[in-house]
Amino acid sequence: MNKILRNIIIALLIAIFSSLSTLGIIYYLLGFNQQGFFNLMRFVTAYRFIELKYVNQTDDINLIDGAIDGMVKSLGDPHSNYLSPKMYQSLKEQTQGSFAGIGVVMGMDNNKNIKIVAVMEDSPGQKAGLAEGDQIIAVDGTPVTEMAFDEVATHVRGEPGTDVVLTIMRDGAQQDYTITRDNIKLKTVGHEMLDNNIGYIQIVSFSEDTAQEFMDAYTDLQNQGMQGLVLDLRNNPGGLLGACVDIAKNLVPKGDIVSIVDKDGNKEVYSSDLEQVQYPVAVLINKNSASASEILSGAIQDTKSGVIIGETSYGKGSVQTILPMMDDDAVKLTIAKYYTPSGRSIDGVGITPDIEVKLDENSTVDTQLDKAKEVISQQINNQ
């Protein structure tokens, strides 16, 4: 071996040893153990093998994105996923209350089917003929079984004026719907005064403006002489915890609203300072009521500040947080579970209504709402 070759080999060995030492120091400082360092080296080895030997050209960003995506998917948690820049932007738009899309609310049933649970009035989806209960089979030809739920929502959204093709299953038959996206301003709260001075407030999701929208509706109904309240959380998939807690402070008496416990047992409690519940309250839920809507209905149920009517809710009792990455992407990860004031975890179980009323989908009569009005009327009369 000549001197030049020997020097090159020595230099390479020094570089490798230096890199390993540096990685080892970084891992030690970050608190990782020996197994963690070993796993990192497995990843680096696979990454370099693909980069150097794969027969076609590789894209470093796609390789890393795929690795992160696969790592999160390996958790087997449908609520944790990697958010590409497009998906992350869509999520931020959704929680801000405005986005470009087709104006439908989607949910996942117990069989993991993705269905349309609400269609916004005068939206592109409504104009195209989409209806509540439609099952989404594919988006632009890609089966939804190949995508996480958030990915489906992201692919449905897009730039105003662009088209998206949804393959819909309805009554056993499939049909493609071509829908032109538009700017959607999501009004999350609707309200009206029903007979017998019963106020009605519907919350379709919890976004940044929802608490203020609720207060505006609540105040308007008070000014009209409200004596009881029906709160409709059916088909509400959840949203921002802060908005849910702010609303609960007007409906739940002094004490706990919800507690959140992480993997280390650390507990964070959100509470209400309301001295007394002002009106009889009935809350409507169904199998598509999830997350923040279950927090609110669970708090009302546990504190006996209202009656829960309808069907058992979805059962999403976990808390997610967003970790922004360095390329306008992010990781959404389940970091804790929430518990109702009595200490219940409803994850995978749901909220069981105090009064179970099933809705006949073949009838135009809203039996759940009718039952809520009956219960509130009786409470008003008893006062």
Side-chain angles (χ1 to χ4, degrees):
M1 182 182 297
N2 61 45
K3 186 175 180 180
I4 295 176
L5 181 57
R6 184 179 62 189
N7 290 338
I8 290 174
I9 292 174
I10 292 173
L12 287 172
L13 289 173
I14 291 173
I16 292 172
F17 179 77
S18 176
S19 297
L20 290 174
S21 299
T22 301
L23 286 172
I25 292 171
I26 292 173
Y27 248 60
Y28 175 77
L29 292 175
L30 291 175
F32 290 104
N33 57 22
Q34 184 177 358
Q35 183 63 46
F37 177 72
F38 176 72
N39 289 336
L40 176 63
M41 294 314 302
R42 290 174 60 217
F43 168 77
V44 171
T45 301
Y47 172 69
R48 287 296 290 162
F49 181 59
I50 294 170
E51 190 178 43
L52 294 173
K53 295 297 183 180
Y54 182 61
V55 66
N56 296 322
Q57 192 69 28
T58 60
D59 184 304
D60 287 349
I61 294 177
N62 286 339
L63 287 176
I64 297 301
D65 288 352
I68 297 172
D69 184 39
M71 187 162 45
V72 179
K73 282 181 177 176
S74 73
L75 300 173
D77 178 7
H79 307 299
S80 295
N81 56 292
Y82 169 69
L83 303 175
S84 66
K86 183 179 179 181
M87 292 172 64
Y88 185 31
Q89 180 62 30
S90 295
L91 179 64
K92 289 188 287 186
E93 290 173 352
Q94 182 181 5
T95 56
Q96 289 166 356
S98 62
F99 58 92
I102 63 173
V104 300
V105 178
M106 296 179 293
M108 185 182 293
D109 65 19
N110 293 333
N111 295 318
K112 306 301 182 184
N113 297 316
I114 296 178
K115 293 188 174 182
I116 295 174
V117 299
V119 182
M120 299 175 196
E121 188 175 350
D122 201 33
S123 67
Q126 185 187 60
K127 293 174 183 177
L130 297 181
E132 182 180 327
D134 285 348
Q135 181 180 342
I136 301 175
I137 302 299
V139 181
D140 287 333
T142 302
V144 297
T145 53
E146 299 178 7
M147 296 180 273
F149 180 81
D150 285 343
E151 290 179 283
V152 176
T154 298
H155 284 292
V156 170
R157 298 191 186 99
E159 293 297 319
T162 61
D163 290 341
V164 60
V165 179
L166 297 189
T167 303
I168 296 296
M169 174 75 76
R170 183 190 298 168
D171 299 328
Q174 288 190 22
Q175 182 178 342
D176 287 343
Y177 290 78
T178 300
I179 309 158
T180 302
R181 302 177 178 98
D182 200 355
N183 287 316
I184 306 294
K185 175 59 180 175
L186 183 60
K187 190 176 187 303
T188 59
V189 177
H191 74 287
E192 63 177 308
M193 183 66 80
L194 306 176
D195 296 337
N196 300 325
N197 291 321
I198 298 174
Y200 171 86
I201 296 179
Q202 180 187 38
I203 304 176
V204 298
S205 65
F206 293 88
S207 65
E208 289 182 355
D209 298 328
T210 302
Q212 186 58 55
E213 289 181 26
F214 172 84
M215 284 309 304
D216 292 342
Y218 193 71
T219 301
D220 182 51
L221 291 171
Q222 284 181 315
N223 293 336
Q224 294 184 54
M226 175 173 64
Q227 296 182 31
L229 174 65
V230 175
L231 180 63
D232 193 343
L233 300 178
R234 292 176 294 182
N235 300 321
N236 183 323
L240 297 180
L241 175 64
C244 167
V245 169
D246 287 343
I247 292 170
K249 290 178 179 179
N250 297 278
L251 302 172
V252 176
K254 181 181 291 186
D256 292 354
I257 295 171
V258 63
S259 58
I260 298 173
V261 182
D262 66 15
K263 67 183 297 182
D264 296 321
N266 299 313
K267 186 175 182 180
E268 184 175 9
V269 179
Y270 294 86
S271 303
S272 170
D273 294 323
L274 184 66
E275 291 295 337
Q276 185 178 357
V277 178
Q278 293 182 270
Y279 306 101
V281 175
V283 182
L284 297 177
I285 60 173
N286 63 9
K287 61 184 179 180
N288 294 314
S289 304
S291 193
S293 60
E294 293 176 294
I295 291 176
L296 181 54
S297 55
I300 290 173
Q301 184 178 56
D302 279 7
T303 58
K304 302 187 185 307
S305 51
V307 179
I308 312 299
I309 298 172
E311 301 169 78
T312 301
S313 60
Y314 179 80
K316 181 181 178 293
S318 57
V319 181
Q320 285 70 43
T321 191
I322 304 294
L323 174 66
M325 307 292 277
M326 300 177 184
D327 193 31
D328 295 327
D329 53 351
V331 170
K332 185 175 76 167
L333 189 69
T334 299
I335 60 164
K337 290 189 176 182
Y338 68 73
Y339 296 83
T340 66
S342 67
R344 287 187 296 163
S345 170
I346 55 88
D347 197 37
V349 179
I351 299 291
T352 301
D354 300 310
I355 303 174
E356 185 173 1
V357 179
K358 292 192 176 295
L359 195 63
D360 185 354
E361 296 180 356
N362 298 317
S363 173
T364 58
V365 177
D366 191 340
T367 51
Q368 294 170 338
L369 178 58
D370 286 347
K371 185 62 177 179
K373 291 190 292 185
E374 176 189 330
V375 169
I376 295 300
S377 293
Q378 290 175 349
Q379 294 187 21
I380 292 173
N381 292 335
N382 290 338
Q383 288 179 340

